[in-house]
Amino acid sequence: MNNSNNSIMSQVVRYSSSGPVPRLDWPTNANLNFLWCSGSLLLVVMMIQLVSGIFCAMEYVNLAKKHLYHVSVGVGEPGPLMDGLVSDMIRFIHLWGASLVFVCLLAHIGRGLYYCSYSKNPLLWSVGMVLYVVILMEAFLGYLLPWHQMSYWAGVVISTIFLSLPLVGTHLHSFLLGSYDFGDGIVSRVFCVHVCFGFVILGFIALHLINLHKVGSSNSFNSGDSYSDTVFFQKGYGYKDILVFLVVLLLTVIVACYSPWLTSLNENFIAPNPLSTPTNIKPEWYFLPFYALLRSIENKMGGLLAVVLLLLLVWVPVPGWHSGFESVVRRTAFWFMSYSFLFLSFLGASEPTVLCESLSLVTSCLFGVSLLILKCSDYVSIPHLNNE
């Protein structure tokens, strides 16, 4: 009887395996730190966003139609029209969950850059970068839905970029807006696309996870064949992931309950006014570095190309042999890149003066150069400087 059970289990394990890495519970390096929890935390947060977003969509009413339907709500009130403690909790968790998603995303991408994870599995890295861009688009669409003064003007500024496209720019801009002005038509379309994009993101997450389980996770030593000292993922890191998730969830719930509008601006509580432009148009914090770069280049198409170039530099999976754990050059370039990114966020939130725009352009160049050195440090640096 025991022999038959063992044979059945061996067949299940053999069936659920793809190459040397089992899909049910795969061997993982024993030297992974807490930064590797960012991936599983990001997956759970995305699931929370999907579920809370579905409930928010059930109650959503387009504020641009309030006069048509005579909806008796406060003018410019952000978010879906929901009443009650549970509904408010869902609404604020969805609001703060967006920020939490990007915190996990930046930590996840930063870990991959620091430890040269992209060199082990370029396809996994490529799917992850596409997922990052899609989530950026999803977040911007969601930012437009509350339909307040800042989201209205942020949408106007971004939509005018399409007018810079040659030949098709004007027609594409009119098609996206659905009318001659940025109003009711665009909000209805944005709502539909925002809901549909959630399921597109789920597809990319599934593709990302399938590829991860097929090849296996990277490690802090950037070693491709370091299975001499391994632990199984569920036993070695499952409890650590659960602990990190519970701590982060507790902090998110506390902020959502006691200070839900902590990062909100005054314009977020004002109805859209096409005749009154805010003195300093700025999006959410996770768009500020890109917004600073767009604002520093006078030509809108040129600014868009500069943003695409920086994303391409982050994406290029150059083969590398040293991680930041053992390469002084890579570690130095990584921190220069990180501080440049943070300073770009600060500049994006500042008043658009000539000095601010000049600093944004210089900081963007520093970010690109640091990223280029980080990616190519194994090829251009002096060998003895790569190892301490």
Side-chain angles (χ1 to χ4, degrees):
M1 184 70 177
N2 291 334
N3 293 333
S4 61
N5 291 335
N6 292 335
S7 62
I8 293 175
M9 288 300 300
S10 62
Q11 291 177 6
V12 170
V13 172
R14 191 182 304 112
Y15 176 77
S16 61
S17 301
S18 179
V21 183
R23 291 177 181 172
L24 295 179
D25 197 358
W26 63 101
T28 312
N29 298 97
N31 61 344
L32 304 187
N33 53 40
F34 275 98
L35 288 175
W36 264 263
C37 297
S38 59
S40 56
L41 179 60
L42 179 59
L43 175 63
V44 177
V45 173
M46 288 301 301
M47 296 299 106
I48 293 176
Q49 283 296 93
L50 178 66
V51 175
S52 61
I54 291 175
F55 283 100
C56 288
M58 292 177 183
E59 303 286 342
Y60 182 78
V61 174
N62 186 350
L63 286 179
K65 298 178 179 178
K66 65 184 181 65
H67 295 296
L68 178 62
Y69 294 124
H70 302 288
V71 180
S72 57
V73 297
V75 176
E77 181 184 357
L81 308 179
M82 308 171 73
D83 295 322
L85 175 62
V86 176
S87 298
D88 285 340
M89 279 294 299
I90 294 174
R91 169 183 175 183
F92 292 133
I93 285 176
H94 193 72
L95 173 65
W96 279 97
S99 294
L100 187 57
V101 164
F102 280 94
V103 169
C104 297
L105 268 174
L106 294 177
H108 201 56
I109 295 175
R111 188 261 297 169
L113 291 172
Y114 187 83
Y115 290 109
C116 197
S117 301
Y118 49 82
S119 63
K120 180 178 181 179
N121 189 354
L123 179 58
L124 180 67
W125 179 260
S126 301
V127 174
M129 283 304 302
V130 173
L131 184 58
Y132 174 63
V133 174
V134 175
I135 292 177
L136 277 174
M137 298 169 60
E138 173 80 338
F140 180 75
L141 294 174
Y143 183 65
L144 297 179
L145 292 179
W147 199 240
H148 47 67
Q149 175 76 332
M150 190 58 71
S151 66
Y152 169 81
W153 281 102
V156 170
V157 171
I158 296 300
S159 63
T160 53
I161 295 179
F162 294 99
L163 293 175
S164 303
L165 295 174
L167 300 178
V168 298
T170 305
H171 303 287
L172 182 60
H173 180 263
S174 300
F175 173 76
L176 293 174
L177 265 59
S179 62
Y180 294 101
D181 60 344
F182 195 88
D184 178 56
I186 188 66
V187 177
S188 299
R189 296 184 178 202
V190 164
F191 177 73
C192 294
V193 176
H194 181 72
V195 173
C196 294
F197 261 36
F199 299 98
V200 173
I201 291 174
L202 274 183
F204 278 108
I205 290 176
L207 184 62
H208 193 69
L209 290 176
I210 290 172
N211 196 269
L212 171 65
H213 287 203
K214 183 177 181 180
V215 178
S217 176
S218 60
N219 58 86
S220 57
F221 296 120
N222 192 30
S223 173
D225 301 313
S226 56
Y227 288 106
S228 58
D229 185 15
T230 61
V231 295
F232 282 98
F233 178 83
Q234 302 297 341
K235 294 182 179 180
Y237 296 103
Y239 299 109
K240 182 187 290 187
D241 290 342
I242 294 174
L243 173 63
V244 172
F245 167 70
L246 291 178
V247 172
V248 172
L249 180 63
L250 176 62
L251 294 176
T252 304
V253 171
I254 291 175
V255 174
C257 291
Y258 289 97
S259 188
W261 305 116
L262 181 63
T263 59
S264 298
L265 304 172
N266 293 333
E267 289 81 2
N268 291 358
F269 302 91
I270 302 175
N273 186 359
L275 302 178
S276 176
T277 307
T279 56
N280 184 19
I281 301 173
K282 55 183 178 182
E284 292 292 328
W285 66 268
Y286 34 83
F287 294 116
L288 288 176
F290 307 109
Y291 180 63
L293 180 55
L294 283 171
R295 199 172 57 181
S296 64
I297 299 177
E298 185 175 356
N299 185 281
K300 293 181 179 180
M301 201 63 197
L304 182 61
L305 290 176
V307 171
V308 172
L309 178 61
L310 287 185
L311 290 174
L312 286 176
L313 282 177
V314 176
W315 163 71
V316 175
V318 179
W321 297 275
H322 297 93
S323 70
F325 178 80
E326 56 184 351
S327 173
V328 179
V329 176
R330 179 180 293 276
R331 187 158 59 242
T332 304
F334 174 82
W335 288 116
F336 265 105
M337 179 198 68
S338 300
Y339 289 131
S340 300
F341 189 83
L342 293 176
F343 191 56
L344 273 177
S345 300
F346 170 75
L347 293 173
S350 304
E351 293 290 336
T353 61
V354 176
L355 177 61
C356 179
E357 293 177 358
S358 302
L359 286 176
S360 298
L361 190 58
V362 173
T363 308
S364 301
C365 294
L366 180 60
F367 177 85
V369 171
S370 302
L371 187 56
L372 190 63
I373 294 174
L374 183 143
K375 288 292 186 74
C376 302
S377 60
D378 293 334
Y379 299 93
V380 299
S381 59
I382 302 174
H384 75 273
L385 289 179
N386 272 331
N387 301 289
E388 290 183 334

